[in-house]
């Protein structure tokens, strides 16, 4: 009984003990916005950061190329999201976008800064992991 009281006192004194933290996970999410009207149809997306490149065929889910999409990438006509393990989100990414139909390069290796806008602590503020949500925007000369 004495050991139980000592253990309970240690937990109260130390805050979050490992056995009191839940094990809910989360991922770092980077959300990047394109200039309005830049993408009007299917496009190939390439995102590079920290020595890794992720690729996706966007707005054409039935294409054979879409089967090879990186699972970390989700994309639509206005944005893409890159989701990585907790604590590994980059502070900048390099983005390339190619129109599938015309094969025109819409964005050529543009660097996008990613700012942390919020944190997710699914197990409470004193327990790991801490996951970051970061936002950025592609800036292209002449685009709105």
């Amino acid at each position: 009984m004495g050991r139980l009281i000592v253990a309970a006192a240690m937990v109260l004194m130390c805050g979050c003990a490992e056995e009191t933290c839940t094990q809910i996970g989360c991922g770092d999410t980077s959300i990047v916005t394109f200039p309005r009207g830049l993408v009007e149809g299917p496009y190939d997306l390439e995102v590079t950061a920290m020595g890794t490149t992720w690729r996706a065929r966007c707005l054409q889910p039935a294409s054979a190329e879409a089967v090879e999409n990186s699972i970390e990438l989700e994309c639509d006509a206005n944005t893409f999201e890159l989701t990585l393990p907790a604590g590994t989100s980059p502070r900048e990414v390099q983005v390339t976008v190619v129109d599938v139909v015309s094969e025109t390069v819409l964005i050529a290796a543009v660097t996008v800064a990613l700012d942390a806008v919020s944190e997710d602590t699914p197990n409470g503020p004193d327990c790991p992991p801490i996951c970051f949500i970061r936002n950025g925007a592609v800036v292209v000369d002449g685009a709105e």
Side-chain angles (χ1 to χ4, degrees):
M1 182 70 167
R3 289 183 187 160
L4 184 58
I5 292 171
V6 171
M10 291 294 288
V11 167
L12 289 174
M13 290 172 45
C14 297
C16 180
E18 283 298 317
E19 50 270 9
T20 63
C21 291
T22 58
Q23 298 299 312
I24 300 170
C26 61
D28 287 355
T29 303
S30 300
I31 303 165
V32 177
T33 305
F34 297 127
R36 188 175 61 223
L38 177 77
V39 177
E40 295 180 1
Y43 64 96
D44 288 324
L45 171 65
E46 183 175 281
V47 179
T48 303
M50 306 175 306
T52 302
T53 300
W54 300 271
R55 292 178 178 83
R57 169 67 54 96
C58 305
L59 301 180
Q60 197 178 36
S63 73
E65 293 84 0
V67 174
E68 297 178 17
N69 285 4
S70 299
I71 60 170
E72 299 86 356
L73 272 180
E74 289 186 30
C75 46
D76 61 28
N78 303 311
T79 61
F80 72 83
E81 290 186 20
L82 176 65
T83 302
L84 299 172
T88 63
S89 65
R91 295 180 188 244
E92 67 179 27
V93 293
Q94 195 171 59
V95 179
T96 300
V97 174
V98 178
D99 182 276
V100 169
V101 176
S102 69
E103 297 183 1
T104 303
V105 177
L106 303 174
I107 300 170
V110 170
T111 299
V112 178
L114 300 171
D115 298 319
V117 293
S118 64
E119 294 180 1
D120 182 17
T121 53
N123 301 308
D126 296 329
C127 297
I130 297 174
C131 294
F132 295 95
I133 292 90
R134 296 183 184 277
N135 281 352
V138 173
V139 178
V140 179
D141 292 335
E144 294 180 22

